Amino acid sequence: MGAFTRWRGAKEVSGVALVVAREVPTSSSMAVPHGPAGVGEARRRMRDELRINGLSDSVIDDAVLILSELLSNSCRHGRPLGQAEVGDGDIRAAWRVDATGRLTVEVTDGGGPTRPVPATPSVTARGGRGLNIITALAQDWGVRDSAAGEVTVWVNVTEGHRREDFATRVAVPGMDFVDSFDDLTDPGLTPH
């Protein structure tokens, strides 16, 4: 867990409203298994924490989709953190909300043979659209390298930044994007 912000809410008990103060996390970090197993748990945790922070449903939905894409890319193209050369290791997922309400999502892995860059997949390709989706949803994104060989992909998400042509930029012929987006953002679903 990271930093906290005071939250005030009202709670009604027997017709009397009580003011309740509690700490609300403004940042979070978690280890995610290098593979599809932890993606669903990371998405659920992010969704729950961002709701508690009062972010809008549209920002939360975008952030959860971005986190899924980053974790999938990290598992597919990056190595786990630490000394795990083969098999199970971890990658790190983190998110934080700054004082202006801007959300930053980060995924860190042990690096890989290539740099994360948006692809130009053919219309029949089954993959290769992840960073294009992120570009369409994000205010900004980038890649940060550490001296230890770790690679962090970071994404800034703000209210109202989604590009108007989002669906046409990432659509695949014959695929209903809205249904697929709903499937991806359903907190009960986990990737295969």
Side-chain angles (χ1 to χ4, degrees), residues 1-4 24-31 42 45-50 53 67 92-97 103-107:
M1 263 319 166
F4 288 86
V24 176
T26 57
S27 67
S28 191
S29 179
M30 67 184 292
R45 179 171 162 186
M46 173 188 257
R47 184 177 297 281
D48 291 345
E49 289 183 12
L50 295 181
N53 271 293
L67 180 66
R92 187 171 46 252
W95 51 91
R96 67 183 169 280
V97 180
L103 170 65
T104 301
V105 179
E106 297 181 343
V107 170

Side-chain angles (χ1 to χ4, degrees), residues 19-74:
V19 174
V20 178
R22 69 176 179 163
E23 299 291 324
V24 176
T26 57
S27 67
S28 191
S29 179
M30 67 184 292
V32 179
H34 188 265
V39 175
E41 176 59 31
R43 289 172 29 197
R44 279 187 290 284
R45 179 171 162 186
M46 173 188 257
R47 184 177 297 281
D48 291 345
E49 289 183 12
L50 295 181
R51 277 194 178 132
I52 290 170
N53 271 293
L55 271 69
S56 72
D57 286 341
S58 65
V59 168
I60 293 171
D61 289 345
D62 289 352
V64 169
L65 179 57
I66 287 167
L67 180 66
S68 293
E69 290 295 337
L70 292 178
L71 288 171
S72 296
N73 285 349
S74 184

Side-chain angles (χ1 to χ4, degrees), residues 10 14 47 58 62 85 89 101 119 121 128 130 136 139 149 151 160-161 179 183:
S14 302
R47 184 177 297 281
S58 65
D62 289 352
E85 295 297 325
Q139 177 184 14
V151 173
H161 191 75
D179 290 340
D183 290 347

Side-chain angles (χ1 to χ4, degrees), residues 14-15 22-23 31 48 87 102 104 110 116 120 122 124-125 133 151 153 166 191:
S14 302
R22 69 176 179 163
E23 299 291 324
D48 291 345
R102 181 182 66 184
T104 301
T120 308
S122 72
T124 58
I133 291 170
V151 173
V153 179
F166 172 67

Side-chain angles (χ1 to χ4, degrees), residues 125-126 129 133 167 170-181 184:
R126 294 185 48 91
R129 291 174 182 78
I133 291 170
V170 298
V172 177
M175 180 173 126
D176 184 351
F177 177 77
V178 174
D179 290 340
S180 298
F181 181 75
L184 285 173

Side-chain angles (χ1 to χ4, degrees), residues 122-143:
S122 72
V123 294
T124 58
R126 294 185 48 91
R129 291 174 182 78
L131 289 176
N132 291 319
I133 291 170
I134 289 169
T135 299
L137 295 175
Q139 177 184 14
D140 195 16
W141 72 274
V143 181

